[in-house]
Amino acid sequence: MKHLLTLLDISEQDIIDILNLADQLKYELKHGIAHNHLRGKTLGMIFQKSSTRTRVSFEAGMVQLGGYPLFLSASDLQMGRGEPIQDTARTLSRYIDGIMIRTFSQEEVENLARYSEIPVINGLTDLFHPCQVLADLMTVREFKGKLAGLNLCYIGDGNNMANSLIIGGLKTGMNVSVATPPGYEPDAAALDFAKGYADRFTLGHDIEQAASGADVVVTDVWASMGKEAEKEKRKKDFLGYQVNKRTLSFAKNDAIVLHCLPAHRGEEISEETFEERANEIFEEAENRLHVQKAVLVKLMHTE
Ligand code: CP
Ligand code: NVA
Protein backbone atom coordinates (compact mmCIF):
# COMPACT_ATOMS: atom_id res chain seq x y z
CA MET A 1 0.00 0.00 0.00
CA LYS A 2 1.66 3.20 -1.23
CA HIS A 3 -1.17 5.76 -0.97
CA LEU A 4 -4.70 5.96 0.43
CA LEU A 5 -6.73 7.46 -2.42
CA THR A 6 -9.83 5.26 -2.31
CA LEU A 7 -10.80 2.04 -0.53
CA LEU A 8 -11.09 0.51 -4.02
CA ASP A 9 -7.28 0.32 -4.14
CA ILE A 10 -6.64 -1.39 -0.84
CA SER A 11 -7.24 -5.00 0.15
CA GLU A 12 -9.45 -6.30 2.90
CA GLN A 13 -6.24 -7.37 4.67
CA ASP A 14 -4.89 -3.79 4.48
CA ILE A 15 -8.13 -2.55 6.04
CA ILE A 16 -7.97 -5.11 8.86
CA ASP A 17 -4.26 -4.33 9.47
CA ILE A 18 -5.09 -0.61 9.74
CA LEU A 19 -7.98 -1.29 12.15
CA ASN A 20 -5.81 -3.54 14.34
CA LEU A 21 -3.02 -0.98 14.48
CA ALA A 22 -5.58 1.76 15.21
CA ASP A 23 -6.93 -0.26 18.17
CA GLN A 24 -3.37 -0.65 19.47
CA LEU A 25 -2.55 3.06 19.08
CA LYS A 26 -5.80 3.99 20.83
CA TYR A 27 -4.87 1.71 23.72
CA GLU A 28 -1.34 3.12 23.87
CA LEU A 29 -2.57 6.72 23.85
CA LYS A 30 -5.07 6.05 26.65
CA HIS A 31 -2.37 4.34 28.73
CA GLY A 32 0.34 6.92 28.18
CA ILE A 33 2.53 4.57 26.12
CA ALA A 34 4.66 6.60 23.71
CA HIS A 35 4.54 5.69 20.01
CA ASN A 36 6.90 8.00 18.16
CA HIS A 37 6.81 6.00 14.91
CA LEU A 38 7.12 9.12 12.75
CA ARG A 39 9.82 11.01 14.62
CA GLY A 40 11.30 13.68 12.35
CA LYS A 41 8.73 13.17 9.57
CA THR A 42 6.59 15.95 8.14
CA LEU A 43 3.04 15.66 6.77
CA GLY A 44 1.80 18.44 4.46
CA MET A 45 -1.97 18.90 4.71
CA ILE A 46 -3.58 20.65 1.74
CA PHE A 47 -7.12 21.91 2.33
CA GLN A 48 -9.32 23.24 -0.45
CA LYS A 49 -12.48 22.78 1.65
CA SER A 50 -13.33 23.48 5.31
CA SER A 51 -12.63 20.96 8.04
CA THR A 52 -12.75 20.52 11.79
CA ARG A 53 -12.20 16.80 12.39
CA THR A 54 -9.87 15.99 9.51
CA ARG A 55 -7.56 18.91 10.11
CA VAL A 56 -7.37 18.59 13.89
CA SER A 57 -7.14 14.79 14.01
CA PHE A 58 -4.36 14.63 11.41
CA GLU A 59 -2.54 17.50 13.06
CA ALA A 60 -2.80 16.07 16.60
CA GLY A 61 -2.08 12.57 15.26
CA MET A 62 1.20 13.64 13.66
CA VAL A 63 2.30 15.33 16.89
CA GLN A 64 1.43 12.20 18.91
CA LEU A 65 3.52 10.13 16.47
CA GLY A 66 6.52 12.42 17.03
CA GLY A 67 6.18 14.07 13.61
CA TYR A 68 5.30 17.52 12.33
CA PRO A 69 2.04 18.54 10.63
CA LEU A 70 2.13 21.38 8.14
CA PHE A 71 -1.24 23.02 7.39
CA LEU A 72 -1.37 24.23 3.79
CA SER A 73 -4.42 26.20 2.80
CA ALA A 74 -4.85 25.73 -0.95
CA SER A 75 -5.69 29.39 -1.36
CA ASP A 76 -2.29 30.37 0.07
CA LEU A 77 -0.33 27.88 -2.04
CA GLN A 78 0.65 28.72 -5.63
CA MET A 79 -1.85 25.95 -6.48
CA GLY A 80 -4.53 28.51 -5.65
CA ARG A 81 -3.06 30.73 -8.41
CA GLY A 82 -3.03 27.94 -10.96
CA GLU A 83 0.26 26.08 -10.43
CA PRO A 84 -0.40 22.55 -11.74
CA ILE A 85 -0.90 19.80 -9.19
CA GLN A 86 1.88 17.81 -10.89
CA ASP A 87 4.40 20.53 -10.03
CA THR A 88 3.06 20.88 -6.49
CA ALA A 89 3.49 17.11 -6.09
CA ARG A 90 7.08 17.08 -7.35
CA THR A 91 8.04 20.09 -5.25
CA LEU A 92 6.51 18.88 -1.97
CA SER A 93 8.16 15.46 -2.53
CA ARG A 94 11.54 17.17 -2.13
CA TYR A 95 10.68 18.68 1.26
CA ILE A 96 8.34 16.49 3.24
CA ASP A 97 7.39 12.83 3.83
CA GLY A 98 3.67 12.63 3.12
CA ILE A 99 0.72 14.65 1.83
CA MET A 100 -2.89 14.68 2.98
CA ILE A 101 -5.28 16.48 0.64
CA ARG A 102 -8.93 17.52 0.90
CA THR A 103 -10.30 18.84 -2.37
CA PHE A 104 -13.15 18.60 -4.87
CA SER A 105 -12.06 16.28 -7.65
CA GLN A 106 -10.86 12.73 -7.09
CA GLU A 107 -8.91 13.06 -10.33
CA GLU A 108 -6.83 15.85 -8.79
CA VAL A 109 -5.90 13.58 -5.87
CA GLU A 110 -5.02 10.73 -8.24
CA ASN A 111 -2.89 13.13 -10.27
CA LEU A 112 -1.12 14.38 -7.17
CA ALA A 113 -0.29 10.78 -6.26
CA ARG A 114 0.88 9.98 -9.78
CA TYR A 115 3.51 12.72 -9.66
CA SER A 116 4.38 12.39 -5.99
CA GLU A 117 7.33 10.42 -4.63
CA ILE A 118 5.78 10.41 -1.15
CA PRO A 119 2.52 8.85 0.12
CA VAL A 120 -0.72 10.72 -0.58
CA ILE A 121 -3.81 10.41 1.63
CA ASN A 122 -7.29 11.41 0.48
CA GLY A 123 -8.85 13.54 3.23
CA LEU A 124 -12.14 13.79 1.27
CA THR A 125 -13.11 14.47 -2.32
CA ASP A 126 -16.55 14.84 -3.88
CA LEU A 127 -16.31 11.12 -4.70
CA PHE A 128 -14.77 9.42 -1.66
CA HIS A 129 -14.01 9.81 2.05
CA PRO A 130 -11.85 6.76 2.86
CA CYS A 131 -10.41 8.01 6.19
CA GLN A 132 -13.90 8.56 7.55
CA VAL A 133 -15.07 5.11 6.53
CA LEU A 134 -12.02 3.47 8.12
CA ALA A 135 -13.01 5.29 11.35
CA ASP A 136 -16.58 4.07 10.89
CA LEU A 137 -15.41 0.47 10.49
CA MET A 138 -13.24 0.80 13.59
CA THR A 139 -16.24 2.12 15.52
CA VAL A 140 -18.53 -0.66 14.35
CA ARG A 141 -15.93 -3.24 15.41
CA GLU A 142 -15.64 -1.57 18.80
CA PHE A 143 -19.39 -1.61 19.45
CA LYS A 144 -20.21 -4.92 17.75
CA GLY A 145 -17.00 -6.92 18.06
CA LYS A 146 -16.98 -7.83 14.36
CA LEU A 147 -17.76 -6.59 10.85
CA ALA A 148 -18.49 -9.61 8.63
CA GLY A 149 -22.14 -10.59 8.57
CA LEU A 150 -23.47 -7.33 10.05
CA ASN A 151 -26.17 -5.33 8.27
CA LEU A 152 -25.10 -1.79 7.48
CA CYS A 153 -27.74 0.65 6.26
CA TYR A 154 -27.07 4.08 4.75
CA ILE A 155 -29.89 6.58 4.37
CA GLY A 156 -29.61 9.85 2.45
CA ASP A 157 -27.46 11.35 -0.27
CA GLY A 158 -25.46 9.00 -2.53
CA ASN A 159 -22.38 11.12 -1.82
CA ASN A 160 -18.70 10.58 -0.94
CA MET A 161 -19.70 8.88 2.33
CA ALA A 162 -22.18 6.55 0.67
CA ASN A 163 -19.64 5.61 -2.02
CA SER A 164 -16.86 4.82 0.46
CA LEU A 165 -19.20 3.01 2.87
CA ILE A 166 -20.44 0.72 0.12
CA ILE A 167 -16.87 -0.23 -0.80
CA GLY A 168 -15.55 -0.49 2.78
CA GLY A 169 -18.63 -2.32 4.05
CA LEU A 170 -18.68 -4.88 1.26
CA LYS A 171 -14.90 -5.44 1.40
CA THR A 172 -15.12 -6.28 5.09
CA GLY A 173 -17.98 -8.75 4.69
CA MET A 174 -20.93 -6.61 5.71
CA ASN A 175 -24.35 -6.60 4.05
CA VAL A 176 -24.91 -3.07 2.78
CA SER A 177 -28.30 -1.53 2.00
CA VAL A 178 -28.70 2.01 0.76
CA ALA A 179 -31.81 4.20 0.46
CA THR A 180 -31.57 7.52 -1.39
CA PRO A 181 -34.18 9.76 -2.97
CA PRO A 182 -34.59 9.14 -6.72
CA GLY A 183 -31.83 10.92 -8.63
CA TYR A 184 -29.38 10.93 -5.71
CA GLU A 185 -27.97 7.41 -6.08
CA PRO A 186 -24.28 6.66 -5.30
CA ASP A 187 -21.64 7.09 -7.99
CA ALA A 188 -21.05 4.47 -10.70
CA ALA A 189 -17.57 3.86 -9.21
CA ALA A 190 -19.19 2.41 -6.08
CA LEU A 191 -22.12 0.75 -7.85
CA ASP A 192 -19.81 -1.01 -10.34
CA PHE A 193 -17.80 -2.33 -7.42
CA ALA A 194 -21.01 -3.48 -5.70
CA LYS A 195 -21.99 -5.53 -8.77
CA GLY A 196 -19.48 -8.12 -7.59
CA TYR A 197 -21.42 -8.46 -4.31
CA ALA A 198 -25.00 -8.71 -5.55
CA ASP A 199 -25.95 -11.08 -2.71
CA ARG A 200 -24.84 -8.56 -0.06
CA PHE A 201 -25.88 -5.22 -1.57
CA THR A 202 -29.22 -3.49 -2.13
CA LEU A 203 -30.02 -0.01 -3.41
CA GLY A 204 -33.48 1.53 -3.35
CA HIS A 205 -35.59 4.48 -2.26
CA ASP A 206 -37.44 2.86 0.63
CA ILE A 207 -36.19 3.63 4.13
CA GLU A 208 -38.12 0.82 5.82
CA GLN A 209 -36.66 -1.76 3.46
CA ALA A 210 -33.12 -0.45 3.84
CA ALA A 211 -33.22 -0.12 7.63
CA SER A 212 -34.97 -3.40 8.27
CA GLY A 213 -32.79 -5.61 10.49
CA ALA A 214 -29.90 -3.13 10.45
CA ASP A 215 -27.07 -3.42 12.98
CA VAL A 216 -25.60 -0.07 11.93
CA VAL A 217 -27.55 2.93 10.60
CA VAL A 218 -25.53 5.69 8.93
CA THR A 219 -26.49 9.02 7.44
CA ASP A 220 -24.83 12.20 6.20
CA VAL A 221 -25.79 15.72 5.20
CA TRP A 222 -28.24 16.30 2.36
CA ALA A 223 -26.03 19.00 0.78
CA SER A 224 -22.29 18.29 0.87
CA MET A 225 -19.55 20.89 0.56
CA GLY A 226 -19.71 22.28 -2.96
CA LYS A 227 -23.48 21.67 -3.25
CA GLU A 228 -24.56 24.74 -1.29
CA ALA A 229 -26.41 26.19 -4.28
CA GLU A 230 -28.72 23.13 -4.32
CA LYS A 231 -29.49 23.36 -0.61
CA GLU A 232 -33.12 24.47 -0.88
CA LYS A 233 -33.99 22.06 -3.69
CA ARG A 234 -32.38 19.22 -1.75
CA LYS A 235 -34.40 20.08 1.37
CA LYS A 236 -37.51 19.25 -0.64
CA ASP A 237 -36.09 16.22 -2.47
CA PHE A 238 -34.75 14.63 0.74
CA LEU A 239 -37.85 15.18 2.86
CA GLY A 240 -38.40 12.02 4.93
CA TYR A 241 -34.87 10.68 4.39
CA GLN A 242 -34.11 11.17 8.05
CA VAL A 243 -32.65 8.92 10.73
CA ASN A 244 -35.06 9.20 13.65
CA LYS A 245 -37.11 7.10 16.05
CA ARG A 246 -39.28 5.73 13.24
CA THR A 247 -36.27 4.77 11.06
CA LEU A 248 -34.67 3.03 14.02
CA SER A 249 -37.88 1.10 14.76
CA PHE A 250 -37.13 -0.96 11.63
CA ALA A 251 -33.52 -1.66 12.72
CA LYS A 252 -32.40 -4.17 15.34
CA ASN A 253 -32.97 -3.08 18.95
CA ASP A 254 -29.24 -2.84 19.56
CA ALA A 255 -28.43 -1.00 16.30
CA ILE A 256 -25.84 1.77 16.50
CA VAL A 257 -26.09 5.11 14.67
CA LEU A 258 -23.15 6.76 12.93
CA HIS A 259 -22.78 10.22 11.39
CA CYS A 260 -19.46 11.52 10.07
CA LEU A 261 -20.35 15.11 11.14
CA PRO A 262 -20.99 17.95 10.80
CA ALA A 263 -24.69 17.11 11.35
CA HIS A 264 -27.75 19.12 10.43
CA ARG A 265 -30.27 18.34 13.12
CA GLY A 266 -33.82 18.27 11.83
CA GLU A 267 -32.63 17.36 8.33
CA GLU A 268 -30.80 14.03 7.89
CA ILE A 269 -31.07 13.20 11.61
CA SER A 270 -33.56 14.27 14.26
CA GLU A 271 -32.32 16.27 17.23
CA GLU A 272 -33.62 13.56 19.56
CA THR A 273 -31.83 10.67 17.82
CA PHE A 274 -28.62 12.67 17.47
CA GLU A 275 -28.47 13.41 21.20
CA GLU A 276 -29.51 9.88 22.18
CA ARG A 277 -26.71 8.49 19.99
CA ALA A 278 -24.07 11.12 20.75
CA ASN A 279 -21.97 8.48 22.50
CA GLU A 280 -21.65 6.43 19.31
CA ILE A 281 -21.27 9.43 17.01
CA PHE A 282 -18.50 11.11 19.01
CA GLU A 283 -16.63 7.82 19.50
CA GLU A 284 -16.70 7.65 15.70
CA ALA A 285 -15.30 11.20 15.56
CA GLU A 286 -12.57 10.25 18.05
CA ASN A 287 -11.66 7.21 16.00
CA ARG A 288 -10.65 9.44 13.09
CA LEU A 289 -7.57 10.24 15.18
CA HIS A 290 -6.59 6.64 15.88
CA VAL A 291 -7.33 5.21 12.46
CA GLN A 292 -5.52 8.00 10.62
CA LYS A 293 -2.48 7.53 12.85
CA ALA A 294 -2.51 3.89 11.78
CA VAL A 295 -2.69 4.96 8.11
CA LEU A 296 0.18 7.42 8.62
CA VAL A 297 2.35 4.75 10.26
CA LYS A 298 1.54 2.22 7.56
CA LEU A 299 2.40 4.67 4.76
CA MET A 300 5.19 6.77 6.25
CA HIS A 301 7.07 4.61 8.76
CA THR A 302 10.38 3.63 7.16
CA GLU A 303 12.68 1.96 9.69
N1 CP B 1 -16.19 14.12 9.07
C1 CP B 1 -15.28 15.03 8.63
O1 CP B 1 -14.51 14.77 7.70
O2 CP B 1 -15.32 16.20 9.31
P1 CP B 1 -14.57 17.57 8.91
O3 CP B 1 -15.23 18.08 7.64
O4 CP B 1 -14.79 18.46 10.08
O5 CP B 1 -13.12 17.28 8.65
N1 NVA C 1 -20.57 14.53 2.57
C1 NVA C 1 -20.01 15.57 3.40
C2 NVA C 1 -19.01 15.00 4.35
C3 NVA C 1 -18.38 16.01 5.26
C4 NVA C 1 -17.35 15.40 6.15
C5 NVA C 1 -19.35 16.61 2.51
O1 NVA C 1 -18.69 16.23 1.53
O2 NVA C 1 -19.52 17.80 2.77
Side-chain angles (χ1 to χ4, degrees):
M1 187 177 156
K2 191 161 180 271
H3 305 288
L4 175 59
L5 309 179
T6 153
L7 296 179
L8 285 171
D9 292 344
I10 69 172
S11 66
E12 182 191 350
Q13 193 54 52
D14 283 333
I15 296 177
I16 300 301
D17 289 349
I18 290 167
L19 300 185
N20 289 343
L21 180 55
D23 287 346
Q24 186 190 328
L25 292 170
K26 184 170 184 173
Y27 177 89
E28 289 178 359
L29 186 70
K30 306 252 174 207
H31 291 82
I33 303 167
H35 41 255
N36 294 306
H37 302 284
L38 297 182
R39 200 194 305 269
K41 306 258 184 197
T42 302
L43 177 75
M45 311 191 307
I46 303 175
F47 282 90
Q48 209 142 23
K49 289 177 174 173
S50 306
S51 169
T52 296
R53 280 144 289 269
T54 305
R55 175 178 176 180
V56 179
S57 56
F58 266 107
E59 206 159 319
M62 273 307 281
V63 172
Q64 290 167 15
L65 289 166
Y68 184 78
L70 192 57
F71 175 74
L72 302 166
S73 166
S75 57
D76 296 334
L77 294 173
Q78 294 290 4
M79 238 179 92
R81 296 178 56 246
E83 183 171 19
I85 195 84
Q86 303 90 296
D87 299 353
T88 306
R90 287 178 286 190
T91 304
L92 293 182
S93 298
R94 304 287 178 122
Y95 303 139
I96 59 179
D97 307 286
I99 303 171
M100 194 286 310
I101 179 167
R102 165 170 287 197
T103 188
F104 293 88
S105 116
Q106 179 71 19
E107 206 186 334
E108 190 173 15
V109 175
E110 310 261 347
N111 240 331
L112 178 69
R114 198 164 303 126
Y115 284 88
S116 166
E117 285 160 31
I118 54 179
V120 173
I121 299 169
N122 177 357
L124 177 146
T125 61
D126 290 347
L127 193 58
F128 295 124
H129 198 359
C131 293
Q132 180 67 55
V133 168
L134 289 172
D136 292 6
L137 296 174
M138 177 179 179
T139 311
V140 173
R141 245 180 34 157
E142 249 176 47
F143 279 92
K144 296 285 172 198
K146 62 173 185 178
L147 294 173
L150 292 180
N151 300 327
L152 178 120
C153 156
Y154 177 87
I155 291 173
D157 187 19
N159 59 14
N160 41 16
M161 276 305 298
N163 296 331
S164 287
L165 271 171
I166 290 169
I167 298 161
L170 291 174
K171 276 202 178 182
T172 53
M174 289 199 268
N175 305 305
V176 179
S177 52
V178 174
T180 72
Y184 293 97
E185 290 80 7
D187 192 87
L191 297 182
D192 285 348
F193 173 81
K195 280 184 188 148
Y197 299 83
D199 54 329
R200 290 200 278 112
F201 178 70
T202 64
L203 169 64
H205 306 306
D206 190 297
I207 290 177
E208 180 171 350
Q209 248 170 33
S212 164
D215 298 287
V216 185
V217 177
V218 193
T219 189
D220 186 19
V221 290
W222 291 343
S224 286
M225 290 181 276
K227 302 278 185 215
E228 288 80 5
E230 297 174 19
K231 213 171 166 201
E232 291 311 314
K233 178 179 172 7
R234 283 172 174 255
K235 271 189 189 162
K236 290 187 199 116
D237 293 348
F238 281 81
L239 218 59
Y241 284 83
Q242 186 185 75
V243 173
N244 53 31
K245 226 183 195 144
R246 180 178 173 270
T247 321
L248 293 178
S249 73
F250 307 123
K252 288 193 182 142
N253 285 335
D254 61 351
I256 64 165
V257 173
L258 298 180
H259 190 311
C260 68
L261 303 174
H264 291 177
R265 294 161 170 80
E267 293 186 15
E268 77 277 359
I269 189 163
S270 68
E271 167 87 34
E272 181 190 32
T273 295
F274 184 89
E275 291 304 335
E276 273 173 18
R277 301 317 187 103
N279 180 39
E280 292 147 23
I281 293 169
F282 289 100
E283 198 65 36
E284 174 192 14
E286 177 184 326
N287 285 339
R288 291 292 301 276
L289 171 72
H290 310 298
V291 98
Q292 287 161 193
K293 282 167 72 181
V295 170
L296 290 166
V297 170
K298 201 162 158 59
L299 293 176
M300 289 168 64
H301 182 66
T302 43
E303 287 133 56

